[in-house]
Amino acid sequence: MARMPSAERRRQLTEAAIRAMTRDGVSRTTTRSIAAEAGVSLSVFHYCFDSKQALIESVITTITDDYVTVVKEAIRPKSTLRETVRAGFQAYWDHVSAHPGEHMLTYELTQYALRQPGFEHLARRQYELYSDTYGDLIEQLRHSMNFELRVPVPVLARYLAAMTDGLTLNFLVLGDDAAWADILDTITDHVAGLVRDEAEVRQEV
């Protein structure tokens, strides 16, 4: 077996775990099955991860980072804020539609972590990552498009995280539906409405 830097090997095992957990479920996926999925020995797994908890944390972080990359690539400033926000939502939604099993895994990971003593902080960190991600994206847009909000950034970030989380679960339960486009339009209009206009800003100066 070719030698590989430990960081690259951890990434290989994390991706193998995501495939195995998406296919078989979190509770039925073992360290042995993950090693087999990655094509490495069990000793290599234990060299890279000292516990299943460490692996699950890596899985949660990797999945979230992948979502962030998808949205960031789509949310570059466009001619209007509404177009920019809508493009970001659409990119996320396209990912949900294309990878429903992976998104279902995120909910299973949450439930698993909440039910396993000592794992609870992983579920909390998972949802903190969602809010932190939206907070970073909002700040990025504020600086690039020069606007002010009617609500604090942390509040909007938590709201967006909760809203997309609920919409994703609805999609996984109800399936594809023509109404989703209208729902995304409605959310976009609501978010755009939280931006203060120039008259409001001037009144405070």
Side-chain angles (χ1 to χ4, degrees):
M1 180 172 56
R3 294 184 64 84
M4 185 182 294
S6 59
E8 189 174 343
R9 184 68 78 188
R10 283 173 62 89
R11 176 75 185 190
Q12 178 192 23
L13 284 163
T14 298
E15 291 175 347
I18 292 171
R19 292 194 301 272
M21 289 177 179
T22 299
R23 182 183 64 241
D24 303 326
V26 176
S27 62
R28 291 190 296 275
T29 300
T30 64
T31 54
R32 188 176 298 278
S33 66
I34 292 168
E37 181 76 24
V40 302
S41 67
L42 193 57
S43 62
V44 170
F45 176 93
H46 289 299
Y47 174 78
C48 294
F49 294 101
D50 58 10
S51 65
K52 190 173 184 180
Q53 178 175 314
L55 171 71
I56 288 178
E57 186 166 12
S58 180
V59 167
I60 290 172
T61 302
T62 298
I63 290 175
T64 304
D65 286 346
D66 288 346
Y67 297 167
V68 172
T69 298
V70 168
V71 175
K72 280 187 173 179
E73 289 177 352
I75 208 168
R76 294 189 179 92
K78 296 179 172 50
S79 57
T80 67
L81 177 64
R82 190 193 184 287
E83 290 179 26
T84 304
V85 172
R86 185 63 174 78
F89 282 135
Q90 189 63 54
Y92 173 79
W93 201 251
D94 288 345
H95 194 280
V96 173
S97 300
H99 307 280
E102 189 174 299
H103 285 269
M104 189 179 299
L105 173 60
T106 65
Y107 293 97
E108 191 174 351
L109 286 167
T110 304
Q111 293 294 320
Y112 179 86
L114 288 174
R115 290 183 178 276
Q116 292 292 317
F119 280 55
E120 300 92 340
H121 72 284
L122 296 181
R124 181 179 182 85
R125 180 56 186 148
Q126 179 185 5
Y127 276 74
E128 286 175 343
L129 279 171
Y130 295 160
S131 294
D132 290 347
T133 295
Y134 276 109
D136 291 343
L137 289 172
I138 293 166
E139 291 289 6
Q140 174 186 318
L141 283 180
R142 284 181 65 201
H143 290 298
S144 61
M145 302 190 76
N146 192 29
F147 61 80
E148 296 294 334
L149 294 169
R150 300 177 189 273
V151 297
V153 170
V155 172
L156 180 56
R158 179 74 68 87
Y159 167 76
L160 291 173
M163 179 270 301
T164 51
D165 189 57
L167 279 177
T168 303
L169 186 56
N170 267 259
F171 174 82
L172 294 175
V173 173
L174 299 176
D176 198 5
D177 188 292
W180 292 118
D182 291 336
I183 292 171
L184 293 181
D185 284 340
T186 300
I187 295 168
T188 299
D189 289 339
H190 183 206
V191 173
L194 294 175
V195 174
R196 298 192 302 171
D197 59 33
E198 293 182 5
E200 289 180 291
V201 176
R202 283 198 301 269
Q203 286 178 358
E204 294 185 4
V205 176

